[in-house]
């Protein structure tokens, strides 16, 4: 009986609670109705469990007008125009000068043709000047004094000259070359332009020669006589002829031009620099 009374009491309490439910129970939820808003106060249920979503911002095309149109994708953007590099103008190559005309020594190098007018020459051996940077000849006629160096096929920018002299004894017995008394000058620049340069400094009065003492001159005569295999008596005659000589230019001594060399510098028809050398020997008379 006691258990049955307890059951009836619990049932009565449950029925009372059901009767105390909200009067809106079963009715539709109205947005903005304060009676339907549930406010959570426990902080553990207010935490975020996912990362914030950051939407991709559309790219806005710049424009000077008020109307702006968003660009959907980067691929649809118009490609930027890049400045094209300026084309270099072709370099103006120097014009080739015409080949010199006239009689004389004409040397045809690969880059340039050189002419020394109105002289005759001969060579010691066959020379392929098209493949060489230098050439040697011996003059047989004409003169180099006051002559010119002319060129064609390229441009001459500079011509330098040097020469070699030797002392000789010249008397009624003949000419004795004193080989040990020679001198080679330094390079000197010739005057000129337009591929024509004047040969200068080769006059007999202008020639440079070695300075030698009377003893050095005597030794040079003795050595030259013995190289010629002269007799003792003939050697003494040569020595006697120079007994009063005090300078290498005193008679019967003479200064003889042995050879002349030119260094020719310039540019060929394509503008490439070159350097050539030309030598002319003067035969001893």
């Amino acid at each position: 009986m006691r258990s049955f009374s307890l059951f009836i009491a619990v049932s009565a309490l449950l029925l009372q609670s059901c009767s105390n439910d909200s009067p809106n129970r079963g009715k539709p939820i109205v947005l903005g109705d304060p009676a339907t808003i549930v406010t959570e106060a426990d902080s553990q249920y207010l935490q975020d469990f996912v990362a914030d979503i950051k939407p991709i911002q559309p790219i806005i095309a710049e424009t000077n007008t008020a109307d702006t149109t968003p660009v959907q994708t980067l691929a649809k953007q118009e490609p930027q125009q890049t400045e094209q590099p300026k084309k270099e103008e072709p370099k103006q190559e120097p014009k080739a000068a015409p080949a010199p005309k006239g009689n004389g020594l004409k040397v045809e190098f690969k880059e340039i043709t050189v002419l020394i007018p109105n002289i005759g020459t001969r060579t010691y051996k066959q020379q392929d000047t098209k493949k060489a940077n230098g050439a040697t000849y011996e003059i047989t006629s004409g003169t180099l004094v006051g002559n010119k160096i002319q060129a064609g096929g390229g441009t001459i920018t500079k011509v330098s000259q040097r020469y070699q002299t030797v002392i000789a004894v010249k008397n009624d017995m003949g000419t004795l070359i004193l080989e040990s008394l020679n001198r080679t000058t330094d390079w000197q620049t010739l005057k000129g332009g337009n591929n024509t340069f004047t040969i200068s400094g080769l006059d007999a009065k202008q020639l440079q020669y070695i300075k030698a003492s009377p003893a050095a001159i005597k030794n040079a005569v003795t050595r030259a006589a013995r190289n010629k295999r002269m007799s003792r008596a003939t050697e003494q005659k040569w020595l006697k002829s120079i007994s009063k000589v005090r300078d290498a230019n005193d008679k019967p001594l003479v200064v003889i031009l042995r050879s002349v060399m030119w260094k020719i510098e310039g540019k060929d028809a394509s503008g490439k620099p070159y350097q050539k050398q030309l030598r002319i020997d003067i035969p001893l008379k």
Side-chain angles (χ1 to χ4, degrees):
M1 287 296 289
R2 187 175 295 177
S3 299
F4 180 75
S5 298
L6 180 62
F7 173 75
I8 292 175
V10 171
S11 299
L13 291 172
L14 291 173
L15 290 173
Q16 185 178 1
S17 64
C18 290
S19 62
N20 292 333
D21 285 346
S22 172
N24 295 326
R25 180 179 179 84
K27 295 181 179 181
I29 297 173
V30 179
L31 294 178
D33 187 356
T36 63
I37 298 175
V38 179
T39 302
E40 181 61 62
D42 193 344
S43 61
Q44 66 175 330
Y45 299 112
L46 300 176
Q47 295 179 3
D48 292 334
F49 294 95
V50 294
D52 292 338
I53 298 175
K54 297 180 179 180
I56 299 176
Q57 298 294 330
I59 301 175
I60 305 301
E62 295 183 357
T63 179
N64 292 330
T65 64
D67 183 17
T68 58
T69 304
V71 178
Q72 294 289 331
T73 60
L74 184 61
K76 292 183 179 179
Q77 288 184 328
E78 293 184 1
Q80 296 182 354
Q81 294 183 356
T82 58
E83 185 178 354
Q84 298 295 329
K86 295 181 180 180
K87 295 183 179 180
E88 295 184 359
E89 296 182 359
K91 296 182 178 179
Q92 296 293 333
E93 301 294 347
K95 296 182 179 180
K101 298 181 180 179
N103 298 324
L105 172 63
K106 183 178 291 186
V107 185
E108 295 181 349
F109 293 110
K110 177 182 178 181
E111 297 83 355
I112 198 167
T113 299
V114 178
L115 172 67
I116 301 180
N118 304 320
I119 64 170
T121 59
R122 64 182 180 182
T123 60
Y124 306 113
K125 60 181 180 180
Q126 187 175 0
Q127 302 178 95
D128 187 357
T129 56
K130 291 289 187 180
K131 298 181 180 180
N133 289 322
T136 303
Y137 300 87
E138 182 181 84
I139 190 170
T140 57
S141 62
T143 180
L144 297 176
V145 178
N147 211 324
K148 298 182 183 299
I149 293 178
Q150 301 174 350
T155 302
I156 296 180
T157 57
K158 182 180 180 181
V159 175
S160 303
Q161 173 184 281
R162 69 177 182 180
Y163 58 85
Q164 185 185 67
T165 57
V166 66
I167 302 299
V169 184
K170 195 170 185 178
N171 54 31
D172 55 357
M173 291 184 290
T175 302
L176 181 63
I177 305 297
L178 307 181
E179 295 288 354
S180 59
L181 299 182
N182 66 79
R183 179 187 176 181
T184 300
T185 66
D186 297 329
W187 289 106
Q188 299 292 330
T189 303
L190 296 181
K191 295 181 180 181
N194 297 325
N195 280 9
T196 301
F197 293 78
T198 302
I199 299 173
S200 60
L202 301 183
D203 188 88
K205 296 181 180 180
Q206 297 177 296
L207 293 177
Q208 301 178 32
Y209 57 91
I210 190 172
K211 304 298 180 181
S213 64
I217 296 172
K218 181 179 179 180
N219 290 336
V221 171
T222 300
R223 184 182 303 177
R226 292 178 180 178
N227 287 338
K228 294 287 186 179
R229 299 182 181 277
M230 295 180 181
S231 63
R232 186 70 175 178
T234 304
E235 179 184 328
Q236 290 301 315
K237 289 181 179 180
W238 284 104
L239 289 172
K240 184 177 180 180
S241 68
I242 61 159
S243 59
K244 296 181 180 181
V245 168
R246 294 294 178 266
D247 185 77
N249 199 28
D250 292 345
K251 291 182 178 181
L253 301 182
V254 292
V255 179
I256 295 178
L257 181 63
R258 193 70 169 280
S259 62
V260 186
M261 292 149 279
W262 295 279
K263 182 167 57 177
I264 304 170
E265 302 172 66
K267 295 182 179 180
D268 61 15
S270 63
K272 183 179 180 181
Y274 69 84
Q275 183 182 112
K276 302 296 179 180
Q277 289 196 19
L278 177 62
R279 190 184 86 196
I280 294 184
D281 294 337
I282 292 89
L284 301 175
K285 299 178 181 180

